[in-house]
Amino acid sequence: MKYETVIGLEVHVQLDTNSKAFCGCSTEFGAPANTHTCPVCLGMPGSLPVLNEKFLKHSIRVALAIDCTVANFIKFDRKHYFYPDLPKDYQISQYDKPLASNGYLDINLDGQTKRIRILRAHMEEDAGKLIHTPTASLVDYNRTGTPLLEIVTEPDLSSADETYAYLTQLKSILEYLEVSDCDMEKGSLRCDANVSIRPVGQKELGTKTELKNMNSFKGVRDALNYEIKRQEKQLDSGNPIIQETRLWDEAKQKTFSMRTKEEAHDYRYFPDPDLVPFTVDSLTIENIRKDLPELPQAKKVRLTAEYALSNYDAAVISADKHLGLYFEQAAKQYNNPKHICNWLMGDIMNYLNTNNIPAIKLKDLLPAKKLTAMLELIDQDIISGKIAKKIFPEIIATGKEASAIIKEQNLSQISDTSELESIIRQVIAENDTVVEEFKSGKDKALMFLVGQVMRKTRGKANPQMVNAIIKEQISSS
Amino acid sequence: MDITNLSAAKLLDLLNKKQISSVDIASAYLNRIESLDDKIKAFIHLDPEDVLKKAEKLKDSDSKLKGLPIAIKDNFCVKGQLTTCASNILAGFKPPYSATVIEKLENDGALIMGKVNMDEFAFGSSCETSCYGPTHNPWNLDCAPGGSSGGSAASVAARLAPWALGSDTGGSIRQPASLCGIVGLKPTYGLVSRYGLIAFASSLDQIGPFTQDITDSALLMNIISGHDPKDSTSVNTKTLDYLAGLNADIKGLKIGIPKEYFIEGIDSDVRDKVEQAIEIFKKAGAIVEPISLPHTEYAVATYYIVAPSEASSNLARFDGVQYGLRVKDGEKVNDSALIDMYMKTRGKGFGAEAKRRILLGTYALSSGYYDAYYLKALKVRTKITDDFNQAFKKYDCIITPTSPTKAFKLNEKTNDPLAMYLSDIFTISANLSGIPAISIPCGFTQDNLPVGLQILGKAFDEQMLFKVGHAYQQLTDWHTRVPEGCK
């Protein structure tokens, strides 16, 4: 049978505040265990929470960026369950009155734009971390109380690829807002997926499973693809889908049942009496809105208009805030944006990806000024594009200007006609058969001859000139 | 001169005049505790050597209180000192921090004597649910001192401490103050920081003083009240001097007497003494009129939804993981080692009343019951508050009995939780509506047990309660009486 997939996502974003959600402890990642704690985040008897204002402001920023309605009445609830990483045995969260609701986010996939509705986004505190040793289970409370924003979509996603695109787009927005480092490996962005399938054409939703424990966007995509296939097999063989929570096992590339619905908690939500509800006036919200930076979607549109970039190029460059900034920095100094774009989309991205370097580092590794200086050398026929490709890792590695490297290694392009003519004469003399082939109309033969010239000049020959001179010498011979 | 027979204000006066020292005072109280507390059993954590050491340190202090000692209910966190809420589940617990009020007291030079007894986690009205056993009423050792702050009330009544701090969630300061013949104030919710007070019901809990008279109560409020950025429910109002205006005239003051508080079942002795007190106010020129607070009858039911619900949540953290009792040995009750530990720890650590309230609250908050119970209770709570708001449009204060009965015998109500709950029938409404209320002694029953009078006022109008109470204490001497066995 043919099925269609329905996916809804819950994304937990750690917001980048200096101190925790309800106390003054640092949120720094990677500190020695239990050093960033105090009576409040340890849930000591008698301690009381006080809301971090920056947590609220960051949350509102995100809510506005994904076009949510921001509630003006803010209230917190307690969500109860017993677990050692939760020192109060309840989590401060928001239940029936989330901070934000009814938003959306547009994703681009295969040239199509699709609107994914956001059901709600609510503020809550993170739990600690359990560390299991062979003899004991230990708890690190450093993460306890870190501010989280949980963003929940409507079940609008219909494939693993759409889900991947949604996550990428959301991450891009969060980075533009400078509210989270979105590092899934550090746990600053976590994602649970609800997935169900139904025969194409069927109206009611199938039974869903909830997938947890994915620690990369790729993990989310793999887990969903696995789970969709598992559900299809299940239905095809006449077995029902059981409503349950399943854990993704990255090593085995499989999902496993963790708990069924019958074992689900009754969280006994009720308003936290320690945190007085309050209102946020619309002026405060409007001020936060005014303060929002240009977001990726708007930037993409502007890049296509202002720099005549293709939709695709503009989308890639605007997806990463730092790549976008870099591009515009370079474009200010150099008036061939397409040339910059080609380099960014090609060699530079390739270099960053191969070496696993985030785009934010690019401006330090290769200041825009150095890149544009190199591009100018190409324009002036001082070096060929090929030489530029060769030296650009050296510019990064040594920090030297392109011109200095060229000088040191004697790499300037040979554009001296007489020098080139003598080398080409030699090549033609050494390759009778190829010259005949060229004469009989084989274009490939020309490429071979150019290649020979390049070899003799260690790539320094001006390729346009070489082409012209070869043709001229052969036709006049 | 018997130091222990003096009020805190008088002791402070002598300290200021350097006629006595903090060491003299500490020694006097320690001697008295030594001779009397075997019978009364007010103190549960007391280190006499430590008290003397602190007294020595504070001897020449130029602080406000100059080493004047104070007894503290065992649900206040005091850094490095045993803090157990009179519960086995907090056995051995020494908090890593002090409550805001403890810091304020210490900053002002108070000497924290030690911890006094209470009902376990403040669940009770007789001090009998304490894991350390009951405290005895100094007026009659066979009687309960009231609760939950029974140790605080008994320690001040027996002059084992010049004053004490307690907490009041449904009457836990006023009812024991009434049953022990002293002054007990529950301030307006939000006036005193709750930071470091181990929570029973967060929306109802409030810290307040136990004192011999109104002046001491005002003096202590000057020290412990005020906004605390660590408590989101603490109100940022201007600080008041509660000692100012104590002597103001009450002539022409309008006092309401709610008919719902003079119901059947109230001790006739209690009714008589309160009615006699009302006559004194009339003579002093106050205008006394009957009023109605129509939703009074729903207060107990509302309270027993709201308070246990919040308690069930607040007490979740006592799970054997970080501090206090942990039970992991013995017969397995669950396959999961973790859940087994939770169940055995909480099973052994909590007493019967704590378990009853956790169950009540857990039930009331359960999915499907929340609207019918908790949400409904919140709505009734608003109605009860509205009653008071209406009344205070016309009246400056309201006077009622504090408790429907005099001190009852130990063990008399321990097997009848409902009868015990009704002991707070007149005090609960003030917690539900957040308003301040004070209990002052207004006479004695035929068998020489104290009776208390409750004065209720508008939110943040503690000054009114002090003014009215002080006027009464100028005309009567009930507050100066000391139990026979403690003279």
Side-chain angles (χ1 to χ4, degrees):
Chain A
M1 203 183 297
K2 282 277 269 177
Y3 299 102
E4 61 184 13
T5 304
V6 179
I7 299 167
L9 278 193
E10 295 167 13
V11 173
H12 289 85
V13 186
Q14 264 185 12
L15 295 181
D16 207 356
T17 55
N18 295 326
S19 52
K20 293 186 180 180
F22 300 106
C23 67
C25 287
S26 164
T27 53
E28 189 199 330
F29 179 78
N34 294 312
T35 52
H36 290 331
T37 59
C38 73
V40 177
C41 57
L42 288 177
M44 281 285 160
S47 65
L48 296 170
V50 177
L51 177 64
N52 180 343
E53 194 182 345
K54 200 164 175 192
F55 176 21
L56 177 66
K57 286 199 167 147
H58 274 4
S59 301
I60 295 177
R61 262 168 89 80
V62 177
L64 293 173
I66 52 178
D67 283 277
C68 282
T69 308
V70 176
N72 52 13
F73 179 81
I74 311 285
K75 117 182 205 284
F76 290 93
D77 301 280
R78 294 182 180 179
K79 175 182 181 179
H80 300 85
Y81 60 94
F82 280 89
Y83 209 60
D85 65 4
L86 194 64
K88 301 186 292 292
D89 290 303
Y90 62 79
Q91 178 192 30
I92 302 176
S93 181
Q94 293 187 302
Y95 181 52
D96 55 341
K97 299 247 188 291
L99 172 78
S101 53
N102 293 324
Y104 65 84
L105 200 153
D106 288 335
I107 59 167
N108 299 301
L109 193 67
D110 304 327
Q112 302 283 320
T113 300
K114 181 173 174 182
R115 179 154 292 188
I116 309 301
R117 290 168 302 156
I118 310 277
L119 176 66
R120 57 183 279 162
H122 67 257
M123 302 164 72
E124 60 187 28
E125 56 175 348
D126 209 345
K129 225 177 188 167
L130 286 186
I131 299 147
H132 299 285
T133 74
T135 51
S137 289
L138 308 170
V139 201
D140 178 0
Y141 293 110
N142 280 351
R143 200 179 69 183
T144 307
T146 299
L148 290 181
L149 188 69
E150 179 175 337
I151 303 167
V152 185
T153 70
E154 295 279 4
D156 286 354
L157 296 155
S158 41
S159 71
D161 286 338
E162 278 187 17
T163 306
Y164 188 90
Y166 168 83
L167 287 170
T168 311
Q169 180 69 11
L170 180 63
K171 179 181 173 188
S172 170
I173 290 172
L174 294 170
E175 281 175 347
Y176 267 68
L177 295 171
E178 296 180 325
V179 294
S180 173
D181 67 7
C182 296
D183 189 336
M184 266 191 103
E185 276 167 28
K186 282 181 3 194
S188 42
L189 195 147
R190 298 193 288 273
C191 172
D192 302 335
N194 287 295
V195 55
S196 64
I197 58 169
R198 60 183 167 195
V200 172
Q202 182 182 303
K203 273 220 171 116
E204 67 264 31
L205 293 165
T207 305
K208 67 176 179 182
T209 58
E210 186 182 12
L211 305 184
K212 286 178 179 286
N213 201 40
M214 293 82 78
N215 46 28
S216 66
F217 288 2
K218 190 180 163 293
V220 175
R221 187 164 58 189
D222 293 347
L224 279 169
N225 278 329
Y226 172 87
E227 181 62 16
I228 293 163
K229 282 216 187 76
R230 188 192 70 84
Q231 291 191 8
E232 284 173 358
K233 264 191 227 159
Q234 199 71 8
L235 291 186
D236 282 341
S237 56
N239 295 314
I241 308 290
I242 298 161
Q243 184 169 344
E244 60 187 351
T245 302
R246 298 180 69 87
L247 292 185
W248 172 242
D249 186 324
E250 179 76 37
K252 297 199 173 103
Q253 293 281 302
K254 281 180 175 173
T255 61
F256 292 93
S257 176
M258 184 175 112
R259 60 168 176 255
T260 58
K261 194 192 173 191
E262 285 71 41
E263 302 163 56
H265 296 290
D266 179 350
Y267 291 120
R268 295 184 287 117
Y269 282 102
F270 86 111
D272 191 330
D274 288 331
L275 289 158
V276 186
F278 60 96
T279 53
V280 180
D281 60 89
S282 48
L283 185 69
T284 307
I285 294 173
E286 281 321 300
N287 282 338
I288 295 174
R289 193 194 300 275
K290 270 184 219 149
D291 206 35
L292 287 180
E294 182 183 40
L295 293 171
Q297 196 70 20
K299 182 148 189 166
K300 183 193 129 186
V301 172
R302 190 169 60 78
L303 290 185
T304 50
E306 226 168 272
Y307 301 98
L309 300 189
S310 72
N311 262 330
Y312 177 77
D313 289 350
V316 172
I317 288 176
S318 61
D320 189 305
K321 175 183 175 160
H322 301 287
L323 212 55
L325 281 174
Y326 186 89
F327 170 81
E328 292 210 88
Q329 181 70 28
K332 254 190 242 162
Q333 298 155 4
Y334 176 79
N335 66 4
N336 185 351
K338 183 69 194 159
H339 200 190
I340 301 170
C341 175
N342 290 344
W343 270 83
L344 273 180
M345 299 288 291
D347 287 78
I348 293 177
M349 289 272 260
N350 196 20
Y351 179 87
L352 295 179
N353 290 338
T354 325
N355 297 294
N356 207 7
I357 296 168
I360 188 172
K361 294 255 171 73
L362 181 59
K363 63 179 191 307
D364 304 320
L365 292 173
L366 178 67
K369 189 91 205 154
K370 280 190 181 149
L371 173 69
T372 55
M374 185 185 81
L375 298 183
E376 275 162 11
L377 295 178
I378 301 172
D379 292 345
Q380 294 157 14
D381 284 341
I382 294 171
I383 54 172
S384 64
K386 208 170 170 188
I387 293 286
K389 281 175 196 287
K390 205 179 123 191
I391 64 168
F392 124 87
E394 282 182 59
I395 301 176
I396 292 176
T398 62
K400 289 178 184 164
E401 291 288 340
S403 54
I405 295 172
I406 289 161
K407 212 178 221 172
E408 275 168 28
Q409 303 183 19
N410 189 23
L411 290 173
S412 330
Q413 189 158 254
I414 303 169
S415 302
D416 177 336
T417 316
S418 60
E419 191 181 347
L420 285 177
E421 277 175 350
S422 94
I423 296 167
I424 290 166
R425 250 192 303 280
Q426 208 182 334
V427 169
I428 288 175
E430 285 166 3
N431 294 284
D432 284 351
T433 24
V434 186
V435 171
E436 286 313 311
E437 279 174 15
F438 175 70
K439 280 180 177 169
S440 64
K442 280 193 180 168
D443 285 345
K444 262 195 176 168
L446 177 65
M447 304 243 302
F448 176 81
L449 294 172
V450 173
Q452 291 303 304
V453 177
M454 287 298 176
R455 232 177 78 183
K456 282 190 192 293
T457 58
R458 292 193 298 126
K460 293 189 289 179
N462 179 325
Q464 281 87 32
M465 289 177 73
V466 172
N467 255 310
I469 296 170
I470 292 177
K471 282 183 191 161
E472 187 195 300
Q473 287 194 3
I474 291 178
S475 64
S476 67
S477 68
Chain B
M1 173 182 63
D2 182 1
I3 286 175
T4 59
N5 219 357
L6 301 174
S7 72
K10 282 183 188 134
L11 287 172
L12 199 54
D13 187 42
L14 295 176
L15 277 168
N16 280 330
K17 290 177 180 152
K18 297 200 188 291
Q19 290 176 5
I20 52 171
S21 76
S22 53
V23 178
D24 298 333
I25 299 177
S27 311
Y29 280 109
L30 286 174
N31 286 336
R32 198 168 162 83
I33 290 166
E34 172 85 32
S35 65
L36 285 176
D37 206 29
D38 270 356
K39 287 184 279 179
I40 293 168
K41 301 189 192 305
F43 280 89
I44 53 175
H45 311 304
L46 178 74
D47 178 352
E49 266 178 53
D50 181 57
V51 170
L52 283 176
K53 231 186 272 169
K54 285 193 216 161
E56 200 67 53
K57 245 193 207 163
L58 289 160
K59 204 169 170 184
D60 298 309
S61 146
D62 56 2
S63 60
K64 211 164 164 182
L65 293 178
K66 301 189 166 52
L68 195 63
I70 185 165
I72 305 292
K73 189 179 181 180
D74 200 31
N75 55 352
F76 290 72
C77 286
V78 179
K79 189 176 177 177
Q81 305 281 315
L82 275 178
T83 298
T84 66
C85 289
S87 176
N88 282 320
I89 207 152
L90 273 174
F93 177 59
K94 292 180 177 175
Y97 77 107
S98 281
T100 295
V101 288
I102 298 296
E103 281 185 352
K104 280 180 178 243
L105 281 165
E106 287 185 330
N107 287 342
D108 274 340
L111 189 161
I112 308 299
M113 291 172 80
K115 295 302 200 55
V116 283
N117 204 10
M118 58 186 283
D119 281 294
E120 182 181 11
F121 283 104
F123 299 151
S125 306
S126 67
C127 215
E128 291 170 288
T129 66
S130 163
C131 73
Y132 300 99
T135 295
H136 298 255
N137 191 317
W139 292 93
N140 180 338
L141 296 176
D142 294 333
C143 287
S148 67
S149 313
S152 305
S155 68
V156 176
R159 308 296 194 252
L160 305 178
W163 52 10
L165 278 188
S167 63
D168 190 317
T169 307
S172 281
I173 290 175
R174 291 159 288 155
Q175 185 258 18
S178 166
L179 270 44
C180 288
I182 58 166
V183 174
L185 168 71
K186 181 205 88 77
T188 309
Y189 184 82
L191 185 59
V192 180
S193 166
R194 293 185 297 115
Y195 188 77
L197 172 73
I198 299 181
F200 160 5
S202 312
S203 74
L204 303 164
D205 295 343
Q206 188 59 199
I207 289 168
F210 283 92
T211 56
Q212 294 167 28
D213 60 25
I214 290 284
T215 308
D216 280 5
S217 193
L219 184 60
L220 196 44
M221 278 306 286
N222 273 355
I223 291 161
I224 64 170
S225 65
H227 178 243
D228 179 8
K230 285 191 267 191
D231 175 0
S232 307
T233 64
S234 128
V235 178
N236 202 349
T237 56
K238 65 172 194 277
T239 46
L240 298 172
D241 179 4
Y242 293 104
L243 286 168
L246 278 190
N247 291 313
D249 199 351
I250 62 161
K251 208 169 175 176
L253 217 68
K254 295 193 80 175
I255 300 175
I257 311 292
K259 61 173 200 266
E260 291 82 2
Y261 283 68
F262 294 83
I263 45 166
E264 224 163 284
I266 174 172
D267 282 357
S268 59
D269 269 357
V270 170
R271 180 194 288 263
D272 291 348
K273 297 298 150 191
V274 173
E275 282 172 353
Q276 284 164 23
I278 292 169
E279 288 310 311
I280 291 182
F281 284 113
K282 282 184 187 164
K283 271 185 203 147
I287 301 158
V288 179
E289 288 174 3
I291 61 164
S292 172
L293 299 167
H295 295 91
T296 300
E297 62 171 307
Y298 305 111
V300 174
T302 304
Y303 176 85
Y304 276 97
I305 295 295
V306 174
S309 293
E310 293 183 15
S312 72
S313 171
N314 286 328
L315 269 61
R317 72 189 66 195
F318 304 107
D319 58 6
V321 174
Q322 273 194 87
Y323 44 76
L325 183 74
R326 177 188 291 180
V327 186
K328 47 181 187 169
D329 301 325
E331 201 188 329
K332 234 178 184 320
V333 293
N334 192 283
D335 285 341
S336 147
L338 177 66
I339 294 172
D340 187 67
M341 187 279 281
Y342 283 153
M343 291 174 80
K344 287 196 290 210
T345 301
R346 289 169 67 84
K348 184 149 188 262
F350 289 127
E353 185 59 27
K355 285 177 187 161
R356 183 177 294 122
R357 303 221 186 178
I358 290 170
L359 285 171
L360 276 172
T362 303
Y363 182 82
L365 292 179
S366 294
S367 159
Y369 297 98
Y370 176 84
D371 288 4
Y373 294 108
Y374 192 78
L375 203 63
K376 191 77 164 189
L378 290 189
K379 288 175 184 166
V380 181
R381 192 173 172 177
T382 309
K383 292 277 179 201
I384 291 167
T385 308
D386 284 347
D387 280 357
F388 284 113
N389 289 341
Q390 289 306 318
F392 288 127
K393 278 182 187 162
K394 263 189 89 179
Y395 297 91
D396 297 299
C397 68
I398 292 169
I399 285 180
T400 75
T402 306
S403 176
T405 68
K406 61 189 179 187
F408 44 89
K409 290 265 161 47
L410 287 165
N411 295 319
E412 188 182 318
K413 297 185 178 178
T414 42
N415 291 321
D416 188 354
L418 280 180
M420 189 74 91
Y421 294 175
L422 288 175
S423 192
D424 290 331
I425 189 166
F426 298 151
T427 45
I428 278 171
S429 294
N431 300 82
L432 289 172
S433 52
I435 60 171
I438 197 165
S439 179
I440 59 172
C442 69
F444 287 82
T445 59
Q446 286 173 5
D447 49 355
N448 202 36
L449 285 168
V451 176
L453 170 91
Q454 179 174 231
I455 312 169
L456 303 101
K458 277 198 281 283
F460 300 104
D461 199 7
E462 276 73 6
Q463 283 173 315
M464 174 64 66
L465 307 189
F466 288 147
K467 180 166 94 176
V468 175
H470 190 68
Y472 180 79
Q473 292 191 338
Q474 298 307 298
L475 300 168
T476 57
D477 67 353
W478 309 115
H479 60 286
T480 63
R481 308 231 180 145
V482 180
E484 198 57 43
C486 304
K487 275 182 180 159

